[in-house]
Amino acid sequence: MSAPRLFEDRIAVLAMAALCFITLANVLIRYFTDESIAWTEEISGVLMFVMTLLAASSAFARERHIRIETIAEGGSDERRRRLARFAAIGVMVMFLILAVLGMRMAWDEFRYEESSPGIGLPKWWYSIWLPVLALVIAARAAVLVRRHAPQR
Amino acid sequence: MIAIALFAVFIVLMLAGVPIGVSLGLGALIAIAAANLDVQFFGLLAAPQNFYASLTKYPLLALPMFVLVGSIFDRSGVAERMVRFAIALVGRGSGMLPLVAILVAMVLGGISGSGPANAAAVGGVMIAAMARAGYPPAFSASVVGAAAATDILIPPSIAFIVYSVLVPGASVPALFAAGMIPGVLAGLALMVAAVWLSRARGLGKTEANEPRPPFWASLREASWGLAAPVLILGGMRAGWFTPTEAAVVAVFYGLFVGMVIHRSIGWRDLYGIFQEAAELSAVILMVVALASIFAYSVNTLGIVDPLTKAVVASGMGEYGVLAALILILIVVGMFLDGVSIFLIFIPLVLPIVQAFKWDPVWFGVVMTLLVAVGQFTPPMAVNLMVSCRIAHVRMEETVPWVLWLVVAMLLATIAVIAWPELALWLPRSLGY
């Protein structure tokens, strides 16, 4: 596939592997002790969230997300470049908005000292990753916006 | 008014080539803000909440895990051994290799959950073999693309996992069981069409001259792969593990078979396999997460209620509405991928399903059948794209072949619509 250049890939791969081991451990422990570890569901959910945003970020950087290509890949080079730039701007705007709103959400959870339902950890420990990783995606999109800029 | 703006923004962005998830998200953000101009943050705080909640849902973890299973089994060397065994089973002759391709795709469908991964695994082995036996590459690509579409019906299936997350009252085990008979039926329909096409057009005449592999030796070779669906489906049925856990067990089993038994995966390949699976799942899950904002806006803007009432009162009757829905889904399925279709349409269609008291499990199977047909109907056909790339043909060249297969699978779909018991009997008798 592609060269392992992006730091997002490395962390996403680690998260994926961790998800496998946690789930397998859960099966084995339940098999041997008839008890299931309830907190793994919460950790797995957050790991899946982090993995998705990281791997999505590298997929945005490589422009591999699902989209309709019929119009965007047709026509002159100039039109293709403009539409690619437009798409990158769309991604950047979406995730900048999510970063701001996500920051606000995490801030509220911090202020009101909300704790997670499973383990009882502060909720903002999890949700803070939404604005952080949304900013990473917005930065990847910004690189694309520059790459597809009109050449002088 | 706001509702029209929501869909207009979404459709324009999507046609301009903005990723589908982002198109859905931006359309939803504008609609939510326009409806809440006097509220703090324009009511947009719901956006990160829905985004976050949809990606941390534990049952959804089955999706990336089954994607990973697909990536592993794609390289584990089980596909070629299954092919050899299937040839030993059915013999040689015109139309037999296409039959083998469909058979192997169906068994692999019992391991992996996504169509394109299946098309890559089966196509990687079958397309070259079919070319040697004299089948035209465009025909081979069509057969592999169509055969791989049975994957999302035969459990495990990523489409069913997404549907179950969206639809209350349709559990993953019930959907998995419900997809079994329709999936086999669709596979049989494709076999009949593929063999008939081969015989009628005189394809693969030289196939009869090729050697037939020895039965017992090839069965022994294929047994590691053949045991995988038994482990996954049997383990879920016996209550040993949940769907997510079944996927993880299959991950380790696949790695064991690939690294120790068949030795087709080395330590160095692991990073690539995990990275590919993480990226493929993220591409799907990103649409899931952003579509949750879209679903929130559709539900809070009050579009669905009037729409449902209008449809129910339209005088088309239950079957008229169903026929209209199916036509819409077939057309949309030609341009959009399956998961996106589910995420866009289910918030709109679910109230109609409830109004007519259709069984949500049955409706999920019908929708998945239509999505499966869309996976190999040009121009936007994810499976066919994979198999055409392997066969080095352009998608246009497959049209004279693939349309017959589309018709065959649509006939199977009509059967499931006409006799809902085809889908509902198995989950009921298993007690889901």
Side-chain angles (χ1 to χ4, degrees):
Chain A
M1 292 287 291
S2 49
R5 277 167 305 164
L6 306 175
F7 78 92
E8 293 100 309
D9 284 331
R10 293 172 184 278
I11 311 175
V13 164
L14 286 178
M16 190 80 150
L19 281 169
C20 292
F21 282 111
I22 291 175
T23 312
L24 184 75
N26 212 354
V27 176
L28 293 178
I29 290 173
R30 192 183 51 218
Y31 185 77
F32 287 114
T33 65
D34 277 339
E35 268 174 56
S36 65
I37 349 173
W39 57 266
T40 55
E41 282 202 8
E42 189 172 308
I43 295 291
S44 297
V46 176
L47 267 177
M48 173 164 72
F49 177 75
V50 170
M51 180 205 77
T52 302
L53 284 180
L54 285 166
S57 172
S58 58
F60 276 121
R62 299 188 190 108
E63 302 187 284
R64 289 237 189 99
H65 277 274
I66 310 174
R67 63 196 191 107
I68 293 193
E69 293 171 338
T70 328
I71 297 173
E73 292 295 313
S76 63
D77 283 357
E78 176 61 18
R79 195 179 91 181
R80 282 219 298 264
R81 186 195 59 70
R82 270 204 215 131
L83 285 175
R85 185 161 203 239
F86 179 71
I89 292 174
V91 174
M92 190 174 74
V93 170
M94 177 81 228
F95 283 92
L96 279 178
I97 296 176
L98 267 183
V100 172
L101 296 169
M103 196 61 228
R104 172 69 201 214
M105 180 176 83
W107 168 244
D108 277 349
E109 288 173 359
F110 173 74
R111 259 194 322 178
Y112 300 121
E113 298 181 355
E114 291 179 42
S115 54
S116 65
I119 315 175
L121 290 173
K123 248 183 162 177
W124 67 272
W125 287 13
Y126 302 149
S127 52
I128 190 70
W129 294 104
L130 171 56
V132 170
L133 297 173
L135 277 180
V136 172
I137 294 178
R140 291 285 180 204
V143 172
L144 285 181
V145 173
R146 266 195 66 181
R147 190 188 303 158
H148 294 304
Q151 269 134 26
R152 272 178 288 169
Chain B
M1 190 53 223
I2 293 172
I4 295 170
L6 168 67
F7 284 93
V9 170
F10 158 57
I11 290 169
V12 168
L13 290 178
M14 184 174 68
L15 289 178
V18 176
I20 288 174
V22 175
S23 309
L24 285 167
L26 285 173
L29 287 181
I30 292 172
I32 296 172
N36 296 293
L37 285 176
D38 45 357
V39 184
Q40 188 203 21
F41 273 94
F42 307 115
L44 285 176
L45 274 179
Q49 282 157 3
N50 279 286
F51 184 91
Y52 180 82
S54 66
L55 275 183
T56 45
K57 270 189 196 132
Y58 187 72
L60 199 60
L61 182 58
L63 192 150
M65 290 302 127
F66 274 117
V67 170
L68 180 59
V69 173
S71 293
I72 290 171
F73 274 89
D74 187 4
R75 293 185 187 69
S76 66
V78 297
E80 63 238 49
R81 290 169 176 83
M82 279 187 198
V83 165
R84 214 159 32 236
F85 172 62
I87 294 172
L89 199 66
V90 302
R92 291 288 197 176
S94 177
M96 287 301 108
L97 272 182
L99 188 88
V100 164
I102 298 167
L103 204 62
V104 172
M106 286 166 69
V107 177
L108 280 178
I111 305 172
S112 100
S114 88
N118 191 316
V122 177
V125 186
M126 286 309 296
I127 283 173
M130 287 172 78
R132 277 196 300 276
Y135 293 92
F139 171 74
S140 313
S142 309
V143 169
V144 169
T150 58
D151 190 310
I152 59 168
L153 286 156
I154 295 176
S157 150
I158 283 170
F160 285 145
I161 295 169
V162 172
Y163 186 86
S164 161
V165 169
L166 293 170
V167 179
S171 74
V172 171
L175 283 163
F176 277 8
M180 194 76 218
I181 292 174
V184 171
L185 194 66
L188 288 176
L190 290 177
M191 285 180 191
V192 171
V195 173
W196 171 77
L197 264 177
S198 313
R199 298 262 158 99
R201 308 281 171 91
L203 307 178
K205 280 200 178 119
T206 55
E207 203 202 309
N209 307 332
E210 300 214 5
R212 184 173 177 171
F215 183 86
W216 292 111
S218 44
L219 172 62
R220 201 180 56 231
E221 281 270 283
S223 55
W224 286 98
L226 292 173
V230 179
L231 175 75
I232 297 173
L233 301 179
M236 271 191 277
R237 173 72 199 110
W240 294 338
F241 18 77
T242 64
T244 309
E245 292 166 355
V248 173
V249 170
V251 162
F252 285 96
Y253 180 78
L255 285 176
F256 172 73
V257 172
M259 297 180 81
V260 180
I261 308 289
H262 299 159
R263 294 181 184 265
S264 55
I265 301 175
W267 286 103
R268 285 160 182 275
D269 303 322
L270 285 182
Y271 181 88
I273 290 174
F274 275 69
Q275 191 264 321
E276 178 194 282
E279 185 173 313
L280 276 175
S281 347
V283 165
I284 303 171
L285 289 172
M286 200 36 64
V287 186
V288 172
L290 290 165
S292 73
I293 308 176
F294 176 80
Y296 170 83
S297 70
V298 166
N299 289 332
T300 50
L301 286 177
I303 309 169
V304 184
D305 253 15
L307 187 77
T308 311
K309 287 210 180 80
V311 169
V312 173
S314 65
M316 288 201 290
E318 193 177 338
Y319 294 99
V321 173
L322 187 60
L325 277 179
I326 288 165
L327 274 180
I328 294 171
L329 285 172
I330 290 177
V331 174
V332 175
M334 288 161 64
F335 298 98
L336 276 179
D337 69 287
V339 172
S340 305
I341 294 176
F342 277 13
L343 293 161
I344 297 165
F345 276 86
I346 287 172
L348 297 170
V349 167
L350 196 59
I352 299 176
V353 173
Q354 286 158 348
F356 284 122
K357 299 201 167 56
W358 293 335
D359 189 298
V361 171
W362 167 77
F363 191 75
V365 173
V366 171
M367 244 183 126
T368 306
L369 268 163
L370 294 169
V371 162
V373 173
Q375 283 192 330
F376 64 98
T377 314
M380 171 66 195
V382 280
N383 291 355
L384 203 53
M385 234 182 269
V386 173
S387 61
C388 282
R389 208 176 303 141
I390 300 173
H392 303 293
V393 290
R394 283 178 299 119
M395 206 185 273
E396 295 88 326
E397 299 170 44
T398 63
V399 171
W401 307 109
V402 86
L403 286 185
W404 292 105
L405 303 171
V406 169
V407 170
M409 196 132 155
L410 280 178
L411 287 177
T413 311
I414 290 170
V416 176
I417 294 168
W419 296 289
E421 282 299 293
L422 285 173
L424 296 177
W425 173 78
L426 190 61
R428 196 181 49 239
S429 50
L430 290 176
Y432 292 129

